[in-house]
Amino acid sequence: MKNIFLKNRYTLLLTVLAVYVLVLVIEGAITGREAKVVKFDNPFFDLNLNNFEEFMDNRD
Amino acid sequence: MDKFALNQFLTLLKREVLEHRNLFVLAPAFLALLLLFAAFWISKQFPRDQLASGVAYLAMLFDGLSPVDMAPVFMIGAIPFVFLLYTYAFVYLMNSLYQDRRDLSVLFWQSMPVSNLKTVLSKVVTIAAVAPFFYIAVLFGVYLIAMIWLTLLGIQFDIEIVGIGYMFLAAVVSLVFVYLSAIVTALWLFPSVGWLLLFSAFAKRTPFMWAAGVFILVGFLEDFLFGSQYLANWVESRANPNQYVIFSFGDLVDRLFNYDMLFGIFVGAILIAGAVLMRRFTD
């Protein structure tokens, strides 16, 4: 197995990327990770880019 | 770590500094000269009485205030240096391992009793702790010159300048915060550091194109294979500077010991391990 992963630079890159993607996908699925997009909270101006349509409606 | 291994590692750090002194020393020094020159030029545009009242106001503003509380104000002065540091950090990480293979110096270093792990770690430590140290040293010089200049102006205009001393102390404490922020930022961005080093060790040419192209491709691939967007979410969830900038000593523990930081270090370690293994392919 080790010989396959370390056969050449391409197999090694694919192995590292596969581990990277799997770790992040599994962690994301377990923790239910969501993007924390830019959110401003202050008394004068409220903007949440998760809900941009509502912001545009309120603005109108 | 025994004394020999420690000396070996220090020598590797010294090598990095000597090979990249333009990035670590000359670039911030040039920026500092530029900013000081701009500050002197701007001050010359004001009439003497306005300049005197400005110095008096500054001295009065900071007189008796806690340097630790006022330090974040002076962190603003470090922003141009931080931008320069991270621009050069990107260039350095992208090219360091690639350049070693390109000029074949990798063969020399591999003939020495230095492991690939130590070589790659020396590059990580250089960008996380050594390079920021030089930038902070230059910033200290800038603040020192500015304080001497303000003191001389105070003496010239016969103003009470005790507050300038408090101001200088706050500026020095801000440098500690900036340095700690630089180290915490490097740890927070450990996956990015690992990603750049991996492609620096991998690419036969244009490492940046490989790093950027594969980054986008992997995101699409995850969506295609798993129908999820955890990679993009993960990158997006780590993009807020509030997660790694230190404004007080109390912030340090919170920033260092939290789940996101430790998980990021784990992911970065996977990529750096890949870069270490990739160093065996020297063709």
Side-chain angles (χ1 to χ4, degrees), chain B residues 31-43:
Chain B
L31 179 65
L33 278 177
L34 210 66
L35 290 177
L36 282 172
F37 181 76
F40 284 128
W41 182 79
I42 290 167
S43 72

Side-chain angles (χ1 to χ4, degrees), chain A residues 9 21 24 27-28 33 35 37, chain B residues 202 231 234 236-237 259 283:
Chain A
R9 64 178 65 234
V21 172
L24 285 186
E27 190 269 350
R33 187 182 285 278
V37 289
Chain B
F202 165 78
L231 279 178
W234 191 66
E236 214 165 358
S237 70
Y259 171 75
D283 55 316

Side-chain angles (χ1 to χ4, degrees), chain B residues 219-241:
Chain B
F220 281 119
L221 207 64
E222 185 217 344
D223 199 3
F224 179 71
L225 288 177
F226 303 105
S228 61
Q229 292 181 344
Y230 292 122
L231 279 178
N233 289 352
W234 191 66
V235 172
E236 214 165 358
S237 70
R238 300 175 70 82
N240 188 349

Side-chain angles (χ1 to χ4, degrees), chain B residues 12-277:
Chain B
L12 284 172
L13 293 181
K14 201 171 169 184
R15 169 212 170 191
E16 294 302 321
V17 174
L18 288 174
E19 283 187 357
H20 301 93
R21 56 180 175 272
N22 286 355
L23 301 186
F24 299 150
V25 185
L26 293 180
F30 181 73
L31 179 65
L33 278 177
L34 210 66
L35 290 177
L36 282 172
F37 181 76
F40 284 128
W41 182 79
I42 290 167
S43 72
K44 287 285 174 198
Q45 307 305 309
F46 288 100
R48 280 175 63 85
D49 57 330
Q50 276 189 22
L51 200 61
S53 57
V55 175
Y57 180 72
L58 274 178
M60 191 188 69
L61 191 69
F62 287 93
D63 195 8
L65 292 177
S66 160
V68 177
D69 291 343
M70 296 310 292
V73 176
F74 288 92
M75 290 175 79
I76 295 167
I79 290 173
F81 290 87
V82 171
F83 270 109
L84 189 71
L85 171 64
Y86 288 110
T87 307
Y88 280 140
F90 179 81
V91 174
Y92 169 79
L93 290 169
M94 200 75 271
N95 284 315
S96 54
L97 298 176
Y98 171 68
Q99 199 64 37
D100 274 7
R101 282 181 297 118
R102 204 173 160 205
D103 59 21
L104 297 177
S105 64
V106 64
L107 298 175
F108 169 75
W109 288 105
Q110 286 190 343
S111 71
M112 303 291 279
V114 181
S115 64
N116 285 334
L117 176 65
K118 276 185 187 163
T119 307
V120 174
L121 281 182
S122 74
K123 291 174 193 301
V124 175
V125 172
T126 299
I127 217 60
V130 180
F133 178 79
F134 284 104
Y135 278 68
I136 295 301
V138 170
L139 255 172
F140 178 77
V142 171
Y143 286 153
L144 194 65
I145 291 169
M147 291 306 145
I148 291 170
W149 179 52
L150 284 173
T151 307
L152 290 176
L153 281 177
I155 293 167
Q156 189 187 344
F157 296 133
D158 198 22
I159 297 166
E160 187 71 48
I161 50 167
V162 180
I164 301 289
Y166 283 98
M167 201 171 149
F168 183 62
L169 283 177
V172 171
V173 175
S174 82
L175 294 181
V176 177
F177 288 159
V178 173
Y179 185 66
L180 290 175
S181 296
I183 293 174
V184 172
T185 305
L187 290 173
W188 182 259
L189 298 177
F190 213 52
S192 309
V193 171
W195 188 268
L196 294 176
L197 283 174
L198 176 66
F199 285 93
S200 183
F202 165 78
K204 285 186 176 176
R205 59 178 74 92
T206 60
F208 172 70
M209 295 298 281
W210 273 99
V214 174
F215 180 75
I216 296 165
L217 192 72
V218 163
F220 281 119
L221 207 64
E222 185 217 344
D223 199 3
F224 179 71
L225 288 177
F226 303 105
S228 61
Q229 292 181 344
Y230 292 122
L231 279 178
N233 289 352
W234 191 66
V235 172
E236 214 165 358
S237 70
R238 300 175 70 82
N240 188 349
N242 279 333
Q243 293 162 312
Y244 48 81
V245 178
I246 306 280
F247 291 112
S248 70
F249 290 111
D251 288 346
L252 189 61
V253 176
D254 295 341
R255 301 278 193 271
L256 279 177
F257 299 101
N258 61 68
Y259 171 75
D260 282 328
M261 171 65 92
L262 298 176
F263 181 67
I265 291 173
F266 172 67
V267 173
I270 292 171
L271 296 168
I272 286 174
V276 172
L277 290 171

